[in-house]
Amino acid sequence: TPEGLRAVLLKDGPAGFAKAVRNTPGVLITDTTFRDAHQSLLATRVRTYDLAKVAPFVSHTFPQLFSLENWGGATFDVAMRFLHECPWERLETLRKLVPNIPFQMLLRGANGVGYSNYPDNVVYKFCDLAVKSGMDVFRVFDCLNYVPNLVVGMEAVGKAGGVIEAAISYTGDVSDTTRQKYNLEYYLKLADELVKAGAHVLAIKDMAGVLKPEAARILISALRDKFPDIPIHVHTHDTSGAGVAAMLECAKAGADAIDAAVDSMSGMTSQPSLGAIVASLERTKLDTGLSLDDVSRYSAYWESARQLYAPFECATTMKSGNADVYKHEIPGGQYTNLQFQAFSLGLGDKFDEVKHMYREANLALGDLIKVTPSSKIVGDLAQFMVQNKLTKETLVDRAEDLSFPKSVVEFMQGLVGQPPYGFPEPLRTKVLRGKEKFDGRPGEKLKPLDFEASKKDLEERHGRKLRDVDVMSHAMFPKEFDEFEIFRQKYGPVDKLPTRVFFSGLDVAEQTDVEIEVGKKLAIQLLAEGKLNALGEREVFFDLNGQMRSIYVKDNEASKDIVTRPKALPGVRGSIGAPMPGEILEVKVKEGDKVSPKTPLFVLSAMKMEMIIDTPIGGVIKKIHAAKGTKCAAGDLVIEVEP
Ligand code: MN
């Protein structure tokens, strides 16, 4: 294996690594193909199986990379929820296959890899375990650029021995001097605070791809002048189509490293094309040191691997880049998500409206930096506004009577952090209606997690010894971890299955080889499927290493019963339905309860957001039509209140 920058990091530590980066001629590249590219294009669905296959090639062919981004962001929970694989095992597997290139991950400051604030000791322990599992460079950001949140993540990374790449989330347009909020002074001041707080590398995280080439020139040259010694690393998305141009400007203005995705996984909401950047800088003083031929071979692998993920393609609805991102500023990953959600909700024709409303929602919230989780708050509010036919103005007028998404309420309480320009009034007061407000760092007062007690409890619950990394997965995502653990005990290591078989199963007579450990292979052939029995199961016959076997498998699709529910009566104020399709998480009242207006009735989880539904009138709970766990369509009757 040819030596890469990781050798410098292991020998000289993060400070030595930063020095070596500054002294490298040309511009360095971070390959995002293993993380952000598929998070942006394929709903984060790429499996370890397909990453591991090409990892040795990357290790041998691209040792000059600044880093290989392969962890964090949405990969952590998607691995457990949808791929039924352990995110830590992915990291460990890739580390063995790529010992020479620094690994890079995205860390949401005090949110770790989750969506809420965790006690500080969880963030520290997370970073410690990540470094031990093979992580090197941590891009630490906060969705409001709230420094106290950033510092928790930065200090945790530093203590664990990782490279602290402190990221400024970029929004607005520094080349437009009429824009007051996120101007050059704002970014320079923030950069100064992060450098003083101990950053080894300074990152500009342009999560939506709104950094225009001219803005890139202005911002990066100003940072370069002010901080001659610290490496500058820039991340962008190609949503508008100007990604390559912007990255070339960054390199010219003095950035040390830029992010790109391999050609066949680049463009649109993903990163700009690696091949295009490599070719554009060939034989200039900014040469990347990578060969275009090698990039093309790498691209060929992904071109075919990508086809396995066709069902998750954002390209089924997205056909081109779109410069309206400069208006709505939706981050790359969220853009594909929102589009997918709009289509699956039957709001496909309303996607334009959702985008427009996203801008309105952002302004209503005071013009925020939009990246997970603040982007979700804006997105939740935007969808809420579309569903309830609200404008920025009527939203404020009617705020006191509306049941806002939980994420919006928590944001207004200060549970995410403090936005740089304060909270919007009178909206905040109207949303909170007397609920408690928090001024400081949200994680500050959280009780430390008792890790050992949690481990003991989990081991008892799941009936087996667990690793520390499992306890950490649970700390970040309790429900997702528990479901994953139950699944893995029941079905075994499904991450070893080839991808097509994993997603769609075997056809009759099809055979597949599964390598469960080195040199240990199972040959599985599906022979036949029996009829559906009364329990909703089928007997499935297959050949396993030459032996006939059969098992009963529940056919979830065939046994699903179809239920239609009564609808809430339009115009009847006590007939309270689900405002959006979703699942009832909790019913807060019982039949016969007396309620006054605005009493919370139930909690609905819809499209990854939670909302509390209040009663608009006082009265008595006459009947509860949908219990906890019920999946409702929009308009399904949930509770009747008799005035
Ligand atoms: Mn990104």
Side-chain angles (χ1 to χ4, degrees), residues 115-239:
Y115 301 98
S116 54
N117 280 284
Y118 300 101
D120 292 357
N121 76 328
V122 171
V123 181
Y124 275 79
K125 179 96 179 169
F126 177 88
C127 292
D128 185 50
L129 290 169
V131 169
K132 289 195 172 110
S133 306
M135 187 44 60
D136 302 304
V137 183
F138 295 70
R139 179 175 286 159
V140 185
F141 76 98
D142 177 73
C143 73
L144 301 172
N145 282 340
Y146 181 52
V147 175
N149 273 350
L150 275 157
V151 168
V152 175
M154 290 171 66
E155 285 179 353
V157 172
K159 185 144 182 273
V163 176
I164 306 168
E165 185 179 302
I168 294 173
S169 297
Y170 177 84
T171 195
D173 183 1
V174 295
S175 70
D176 179 352
T177 48
T178 64
R179 293 184 70 161
Q180 300 291 310
K181 273 193 174 163
Y182 301 99
N183 53 18
L184 189 60
E185 289 66 51
Y186 168 81
Y187 291 111
L188 290 177
K189 182 172 167 285
L190 185 56
D192 199 44
E193 289 180 66
L194 298 180
V195 171
K196 285 193 179 122
H200 298 122
V201 177
L202 199 56
I204 294 296
K205 178 177 162 57
D206 174 24
M207 57 279 170
V210 296
L211 181 67
K212 294 173 183 168
E214 177 59 7
R217 190 189 62 75
I218 294 169
L219 180 60
I220 303 303
S221 8
L223 289 170
R224 184 74 294 157
D225 281 350
K226 195 163 179 195
F227 308 102
D229 299 324
I230 195 163
I232 300 174
H233 190 173
V234 192
H235 173 78
T236 192
H237 287 255
D238 199 27
T239 315

Side-chain angles (χ1 to χ4, degrees), residues 32 35-37 39-40 69 106 139 205-208 235-237 259 269-271 331-333 371:
T32 65
R35 204 283 298 181
D36 206 6
Q39 181 171 328
S40 301
E69 193 201 27
L106 190 58
R139 179 175 286 159
K205 178 177 162 57
D206 174 24
M207 57 279 170
H235 173 78
T236 192
H237 287 255
D259 284 11
T269 52
S270 175
Q271 274 64 60
V371 60

